[in-house]
Amino acid sequence: MDNNNLVRIIKNELHYFKNVNYGEIRYMNYSSVERDAEIKCKDIVGIYGQNGSGKTAMVEALDILKNILAGEEIPHEPYEGLIDSEKGTKIITYFYMEQQNTKYKICYEVLLNVDHDENKIKLASEKLTYWSRGATWKTERDLKFINPYYNTDFILEDVSVEFESEHKKEFEDTLLNKGLQNLAVFCAQKNVSIFFNDLFLNKFAGRSNKHIEEEKLSTIIKGLSDFGKLYFQVVKVNQLADINRNAVLPVNIHAENDYFVMQGCLPLVMNGKGKIPESLFIQLNSAIEAINIALKAIIPNLSIELRNIAEEPDEEGDKKIFVEVYSVRDKKEFLTRYESEGIKRIISLLNYLIALYNYPQICLVVDELDSGIFEYLLGEILSVLNDEAKGQLIFTSHNLRAFEKLSIKNIICTTINPENRYIRLTGKEKNHNPRDFYLRTITVGGQKEELYDEADLQSIGYAFRKACHPERKVKINFSEAFRKKLQEVDK
C-alpha cells in the first residue's frame, strides 16, 4: 500500500432522500481542506437525534455512494422506497484527495430515479467537478453526463451522447469522446456509473501518452474507485439482525500488506456447526488472531476460537471444513452463540476498528454503534479512537456517553425540520457538561432548529390510553399544535 494516497470525505449533501428534503454535514476537516488543503483534525463524527429524524438516512446514502464508487449496481430492494418518485434523489459528496504530491478537491453529484417496471435504481445524471491545488484551489474542471440509454427506445436511435462541461476545450483531445456511446449503453444496461466502472478504468489505465487533463481525471477516478472498493466500509443495522438470530456473526475485516488489500464481511457460523471453504477458514483465522489481540484489552481474559471439527471434499474436489466457534474465558469454553449481543457486536466490528486506528485511508460508517455495548466501554473506545485513530469514523448512536468523551464539534444533531436535517450545536460554554447541554437544548431550545417535537411527548399518554380502550373517548389536555396533528391523522 502506498501511504501517499489518501481519500477523505469532507462534506455530504442529501436532497429528497427518505425523510430528508435537505441536509448537509461538514466533517471535521472540511475547513482545513478548504483553507490549507490539509487533514489536520482527528475525524470522528457522531450523528444523534430522535427516532426517524434522519440518522440512518445518512448511513444509507453513504452505502449507496459506496456502491457507485465501487462500480456496482445500487440494490433495488433496500432503497427503492427511499428515493423521491417525483423529484428524484440527489446525493452530493465532497472529497479531499492526495495522490503522491498532488492534492485535489472533488465534488461528485448523482441524481437517482427508480424504474418500478424494471425494479432498478438508475443514475439519471452524474456530475464530477474537481480542483487541483496550487497556492489556492484553482483550475476547476467539470464533467456532467445524462445517459439517454436509460430509455431503451433510444438505443437504436441516433441520439447525441456527450459530456457537458463549462471547460469543454480542455477535454477535446482526451479519450472521453471516443467510444462514449458504447460506454453509455453498457452503463445503462448494468445500472452503473459512467465514471466508476471497470470498462472506463481499464481504458484509461491502458492508454499511454495521456493528455494532461486526461491524466488528472484518470488519477481522480482511479483514486475514488479504489477508495470505494478497498477503504470505504458501511456497516448497516441489518447486521444486528443476523447477530440476534444467532444465524451468523458477520466479521467485518480489512487486511493489507505490500501486495494486496482485502476488505469485506466474512460470515462466522454461529448456529451449530458450519461448513466453509478452506480459503475462508484461513481468512477467518487470520482475522480472529488480530481480533483476539484487541479483544483482551477490551474484555479481559476473553478470546474466540474457530475450531476445525472435520474436513471433507465437495463435488468439485475442493476441501470443505466443518467449524464451530468457541469463546474461551478464564479457561472455560462455550459456544460463542451464547455470548451477549454486545460482545458479539464488538467481535463483529473489531477488525474494522483496528484498521481505522492504523490506516488514514479507512472511512468506516457504522449505524447504531452503541447497540448492545455497555455505555462506559463505548465511551472508552470512542475516547481512544478520537485521540489516536488515523482514519475517519462516522457513526449513529442513541447512547449519550459520546457527548462526555468527544468535543461538541464532533457531534451532529438531527432536527425536526426536513428542510434542514443536520446541525451542530452552538452556544455551549466551557463549564457546560456536553451531555446536559444537549438534553437541555432538547427541552428548552436555543438552537436555530428544534431537535425534538414536544408534541410527540404529549401524544404518548394519549395513544397508550386510546389503544387500551379505543371505544372510549379519552379526555386529555394537549397543545393546539398537537391537536392539529391529531386531526390530520384522523383524516
Side-chain angles (χ1 to χ4, degrees):
M1 181 194 71
D2 190 342
N3 288 323
N4 291 321
N5 298 338
L6 172 70
V7 173
R8 184 65 59 91
I9 297 174
I10 58 172
K11 179 181 171 183
N12 281 122
E13 290 182 28
L14 296 186
H15 298 256
Y16 300 104
F17 181 66
K18 202 175 180 179
N19 57 355
V20 180
N21 289 351
Y22 176 76
E24 174 187 308
I25 294 180
R26 297 181 178 185
Y27 297 100
M28 300 303 294
N29 284 285
Y30 177 82
S31 296
S32 65
V33 166
E34 287 284 358
R35 184 179 58 252
D36 303 317
E38 291 183 14
I39 299 295
K40 293 184 175 181
C41 303
K42 297 298 181 181
D43 215 339
I44 293 183
V45 164
I47 306 175
Y48 280 78
Q50 73 177 87
N51 295 332
S53 60
K55 299 187 301 297
T56 296
M58 183 56 73
V59 172
E60 290 165 328
L62 288 167
D63 188 52
I64 288 174
L65 175 67
K66 173 179 168 55
N67 279 275
I68 294 172
L69 296 181
E72 298 172 357
E73 181 176 0
I74 301 168
H76 174 262
E77 185 177 350
Y79 296 122
E80 54 134 347
L82 310 183
I83 307 295
D84 191 290
S85 57
E86 295 181 2
K87 299 180 178 69
T89 287
K90 187 181 290 185
I91 300 174
I92 303 175
T93 309
Y94 285 80
F95 303 90
Y96 170 69
M97 178 185 291
E98 292 180 7
Q99 293 286 334
Q100 304 300 331
N101 296 318
T102 307
K103 299 178 179 181
Y104 298 99
K105 183 175 67 172
I106 307 152
C107 175
Y108 174 67
E109 176 181 322
V110 60
L111 178 65
L112 304 174
N113 288 325
V114 179
D115 187 326
H116 295 289
D117 294 328
E118 295 186 9
N119 293 331
K120 300 287 186 182
I121 295 178
K122 298 187 173 182
L123 286 68
S125 69
E126 298 177 78
K127 185 176 181 181
L128 190 68
T129 309
Y130 58 93
W131 301 259
S132 55
R133 183 72 179 190
T136 61
W137 290 115
K138 60 181 183 178
T139 60
E140 175 185 325
R141 299 288 182 261
D142 71 297
L143 288 168
K144 183 177 180 180
F145 189 75
I146 300 173
N147 196 331
Y149 296 122
Y150 277 125
N151 184 342
T152 55
D153 293 339
F154 288 152
I155 291 180
L156 299 179
E157 300 290 333
D158 186 19
V159 297
S160 175
V161 181
E162 60 182 358
F163 285 102
E164 301 173 17
S165 177
E166 295 292 328
H167 314 91
K168 208 161 188 176
K169 288 185 178 181
E170 303 297 332
F171 297 102
E172 283 181 351
D173 298 326
T174 69
L175 181 67
L176 295 176
N177 297 319
K178 299 176 182 179
L180 183 58
Q181 185 168 357
N182 292 335
L183 179 63
V185 173
F186 170 83
C187 291
Q189 295 301 304
K190 298 287 187 180
N191 283 292
V192 296
S193 166
I194 198 75
F195 297 109
F196 307 109
N197 63 80
D198 289 339
L199 198 62
F200 199 37
L201 285 167
N202 292 338
K203 193 70 174 177
F204 261 136
R207 182 174 165 85
S208 57
N209 301 319
K210 294 187 183 112
H211 182 281
I212 185 170
E213 211 57 56
E214 193 173 54
E215 185 69 50
K216 286 183 182 179
L217 186 61
S218 175
T219 298
I220 287 168
I221 290 176
K222 178 68 164 57
L224 291 180
S225 179
D226 286 348
F227 173 69
K229 291 176 180 177
L230 302 175
Y231 301 106
F232 182 22
Q233 184 59 39
V234 181
V235 180
K236 297 189 294 181
V237 75
N238 60 1
Q239 283 196 5
L240 293 173
D242 292 330
I243 292 173
N244 295 337
R245 289 198 312 268
N246 274 328
V248 296
L249 177 57
V251 178
N252 300 281
I253 68 164
H254 177 96
E256 59 181 84
N257 57 31
D258 292 336
Y259 306 103
F260 77 94
V261 177
M262 178 178 66
Q263 178 161 291
C265 180
L266 302 180
L268 194 59
V269 179
M270 296 288 290
N271 193 6
K273 294 180 182 178
K275 184 170 66 172
I276 61 176
E278 183 180 29
S279 59
L280 180 57
F281 178 78
I282 293 170
Q283 291 173 3
L284 279 170
N285 258 330
S286 178
I288 288 171
E289 183 178 349
I291 287 171
N292 279 333
I293 294 172
L295 189 60
K296 289 177 181 178
I298 296 173
I299 306 169
N301 303 319
L302 175 63
S303 62
I304 58 172
E305 294 182 7
L306 182 65
R307 295 186 180 172
N308 182 336
I309 305 302
E311 300 177 3
E312 69 174 27
D314 61 15
E315 294 177 356
E316 287 77 30
D318 296 323
K319 187 186 294 185
K320 300 290 184 181
I321 300 177
F322 288 89
V323 298
E324 287 182 337
V325 187
Y326 280 85
S327 292
V328 181
R329 190 184 309 193
D330 296 324
K331 298 181 180 180
K332 296 179 181 179
E333 301 178 354
F334 52 91
L335 289 170
T336 304
R337 62 179 298 191
Y338 297 115
E339 287 284 12
S340 69
E341 176 194 335
I343 287 179
K344 286 185 283 190
R345 176 72 160 164
I346 290 170
I347 292 170
S348 175
L349 292 174
L350 255 183
N351 199 271
Y352 271 167
L353 295 176
I354 293 167
L356 171 77
Y357 184 91
N358 288 283
Y359 300 120
Q361 291 84 356
I362 295 292
C363 176
L364 175 61
V365 183
V366 183
D367 200 9
E368 296 192 17
L369 176 63
D370 59 322
S371 181
I373 300 177
F374 178 46
E375 73 166 346
Y376 183 81
L377 176 58
L378 175 68
E380 295 308 296
I381 292 172
L382 286 174
S383 180
V384 169
L385 293 176
N386 190 50
D387 289 342
E388 302 177 31
K390 296 179 180 179
Q392 181 176 24
L393 173 64
I394 302 166
F395 69 92
T396 73
S397 176
H398 298 283
N399 191 302
L400 302 185
R401 176 69 172 161
F403 280 81
E404 299 174 343
K405 288 296 183 177
L406 303 176
S407 165
I408 204 73
K409 295 178 182 179
N410 296 85
I411 304 297
I412 300 293
C413 294
T414 58
T415 77
I416 66 171
N417 182 5
E419 307 295 337
N420 186 24
R421 274 296 184 195
Y422 309 104
I423 65 170
R424 278 187 167 85
L425 299 181
T426 58
K428 177 189 170 296
E429 298 180 2
K430 289 184 178 180
N431 61 339
H432 285 161
N433 178 292
R435 181 174 185 154
D436 293 342
F437 179 71
Y438 174 66
L439 292 173
R440 184 177 183 277
T441 300
I442 288 176
T443 56
V444 178
Q447 301 296 317
K448 292 181 179 179
E449 299 285 353
E450 290 186 49
L451 306 186
Y452 200 94
D453 190 347
E454 290 190 48
D456 289 346
L457 299 177
Q458 295 180 328
S459 70
I460 294 172
Y462 174 81
F464 282 1
R465 289 176 177 83
K466 189 170 183 178
C468 184
H469 300 288
E471 73 285 354
R472 298 180 185 174
K473 292 184 177 179
V474 179
K475 292 184 178 180
I476 186 170
N477 294 322
F478 42 76
S479 69
E480 187 61 30
F482 178 66
R483 188 188 301 278
K484 290 179 180 179
K485 286 189 176 185
L486 184 63
Q487 290 171 347
E488 292 173 2
V489 172
D490 288 341
K491 289 178 182 178

